[in-house]
Amino acid sequence: MSDWFSPDTTVVASTVGGLLIGLSAAVLLHGSGEVLAFTSCIGSLCDFDFPSPLKVVKDPENGWKFGFLASFLLTCEWWIANSESVIFDEAIMIPYWVTGLSGIMAGFGTKMANGCTSGHGISGLGRLSLRSLVAVCTFMGTAFLSASLSSPAFPLIYQRTTIIEEDKYHFPCHAARSVGKALTLSMVLLAIYSITWQLRSSKNGAEATPLVAGDGKQQQQDSPPATFRTFLGKFAAAMVAGPIFVSGLSIGGMNKPSKIVGFFDLTGFSRGTYDPSLAFLFASGILVSLIGYQFVEAQGIAKMDSITPVKRRSSVSGEFHIPKKSAIDSKLVVGSAIFGISMGISGYCPTPCMIMAISGFSDLLFLW
């Protein structure tokens, strides 16, 4: 058996990383009532209203997202400062054109499929969603295929999709690292602005909107619709989930494209380089997420619902915001297939790419 697997296989570390990722999903679910879906979180904050660009920051429904991303990026900074040589590949061997193509495909794919490895994989499979199961099977299948075809077993493709000469490898650069720090600081400031705005609004009703009562008289309803206490609770839970998520990705090896490709490249069995580590990460992450969903009404396994104290409301938000879409359509399948190909040819997954971009890999910074 040892002749099949890579000596870099990290069963324990990947399992621990997966447990942390699943724990992050559970904390976000029960603390904020939200589902862990990184690309959807980022995408919703990019919907700018250009006449009023701060509108998205002032929206109370987005507050927890800024808290999550701020703590996520701050924890990235800690890992980069203390364990950069451990959590990343020493160099990137992917040509720029492959990185660019992978990024475009990942963007289109996750948008069409409405999710990626965290949304459909950890959260979707954790709640036993058939839609997510189809998405995961599809992107896993195309990732296995594309990674295997891009391997040394197929030299003509391998030589065009991999940098073989060591002097052409990509390394982190100081300029990109400075931009990464600036992005982290910007997200922290936006999170502070968001929470400050909600505090001020809750105190003085700065944006009270008139409502017409049944007798025709105008009344006032404070905006934002959520109370500041609820807002703060969701914000705090999200800030706890963010660092756990980053730590799980970093310990589990998701920040290393070589490890992702090593998992999807099935031809590695014949060369003794196959790395099954990520199977342990996904399995342990989904398991913890699954356990978390057993305590949510109508989300657990039927036989377990009778023995677990189900919750109809999250700890602070008052309700769970769990996707209800169940349709399995062409957009889901095609989008997932495109996303899988993007992972297979490069080893890049959207969330770890954010961590790598912040660390100073200029091509990934530009990509994001």
Side-chain angles (χ1 to χ4, degrees), residues 250-336:
S250 300
I251 294 172
M254 287 294 289
N255 301 333
K256 296 181 177 182
S258 63
K259 210 160 188 62
I260 296 177
V261 171
F263 172 67
F264 287 120
D265 176 15
L266 297 178
T267 68
F269 281 111
S270 63
R271 301 188 306 276
T273 59
Y274 185 75
D275 189 341
S277 302
L278 296 190
F280 294 90
L281 181 143
F282 285 123
S284 57
I286 292 169
L287 175 62
V288 176
S289 178
L290 174 66
I291 294 173
Y293 276 101
Q294 300 312 308
F295 299 91
V296 180
E297 185 181 35
Q299 296 297 322
I301 300 173
K303 291 183 179 179
M304 293 185 66
D305 281 342
S306 60
I307 61 175
T308 56
V310 298
K311 297 169 61 178
R312 294 175 174 81
R313 302 167 70 84
S314 64
S315 298
V316 295
S317 68
E319 62 181 19
F320 291 103
H321 298 102
I322 298 174
K324 296 180 174 60
K325 190 173 182 179
S326 59
I328 300 173
D329 51 23
S330 59
K331 287 183 64 177
L332 174 72
V333 176
V334 173
S336 298

Side-chain angles (χ1 to χ4, degrees), residues 135-201:
V136 171
C137 290
T138 302
F139 71 64
M140 284 286 191
T142 55
F144 279 122
L145 178 62
S146 57
S148 298
L149 290 176
S150 303
S151 72
F154 298 89
L156 290 178
I157 301 176
Y158 176 73
Q159 292 170 7
R160 288 165 175 76
T161 57
T162 305
I163 300 176
I164 301 175
E165 300 85 357
E166 293 187 9
D167 60 336
K168 295 183 180 180
Y169 288 173
H170 305 163
F171 297 90
C173 69
H174 293 297
R177 180 72 185 97
S178 298
V179 175
K181 291 180 179 179
L183 289 175
T184 299
L185 177 60
S186 298
M187 186 57 67
V188 171
L189 292 176
L190 287 173
I192 293 173
Y193 181 88
S194 174
I195 198 169
T196 302
W197 174 266
Q198 301 306 324
L199 176 60
R200 187 177 67 177
S201 298

Side-chain angles (χ1 to χ4, degrees), residues 84-105:
E84 183 176 13
S85 62
V86 176
I87 66 173
F88 299 121
D89 283 329
E90 184 177 345
I92 299 298
M93 299 178 289
I94 308 299
Y96 288 123
W97 75 268
V98 174
T99 298
L101 178 62
S102 173
I104 293 172
M105 294 178 71

Side-chain angles (χ1 to χ4, degrees), residues 1-168:
M1 292 293 289
S2 60
D3 293 337
W4 293 355
F5 300 115
S6 167
D8 296 326
T9 299
T10 53
V11 173
V12 175
S14 294
T15 300
V16 171
L19 293 174
L20 290 173
I21 293 172
L23 178 61
S24 173
V27 168
L28 193 62
L29 176 68
H30 288 278
S32 297
E34 304 290 346
V35 170
L36 178 64
F38 192 83
T39 54
S40 297
C41 178
I42 293 286
S44 64
L45 297 182
C46 294
D47 187 17
F48 287 108
D49 182 355
F50 286 101
S52 180
L54 288 178
K55 184 176 180 180
V56 69
V57 186
K58 296 177 181 179
D59 186 343
E61 297 302 322
N62 289 333
W64 71 269
K65 300 174 185 177
F66 286 104
F68 178 80
L69 292 173
S71 65
F72 179 95
L73 293 177
L74 284 173
T75 309
C76 287
E77 295 289 347
W78 184 89
W79 275 103
I80 293 168
N82 292 278
S83 304
E84 183 176 13
S85 62
V86 176
I87 66 173
F88 299 121
D89 283 329
E90 184 177 345
I92 299 298
M93 299 178 289
I94 308 299
Y96 288 123
W97 75 268
V98 174
T99 298
L101 178 62
S102 173
I104 293 172
M105 294 178 71
F108 277 108
T110 54
K111 181 69 173 178
M112 289 179 66
N114 197 29
C116 61
T117 49
S118 59
H120 280 310
I122 301 299
S123 298
L125 294 185
R127 64 176 186 274
L128 304 178
S129 165
L130 180 59
R131 174 180 166 84
S132 290
L133 177 61
V134 171
V136 171
C137 290
T138 302
F139 71 64
M140 284 286 191
T142 55
F144 279 122
L145 178 62
S146 57
S148 298
L149 290 176
S150 303
S151 72
F154 298 89
L156 290 178
I157 301 176
Y158 176 73
Q159 292 170 7
R160 288 165 175 76
T161 57
T162 305
I163 300 176
I164 301 175
E165 300 85 357
E166 293 187 9
D167 60 336
K168 295 183 180 180

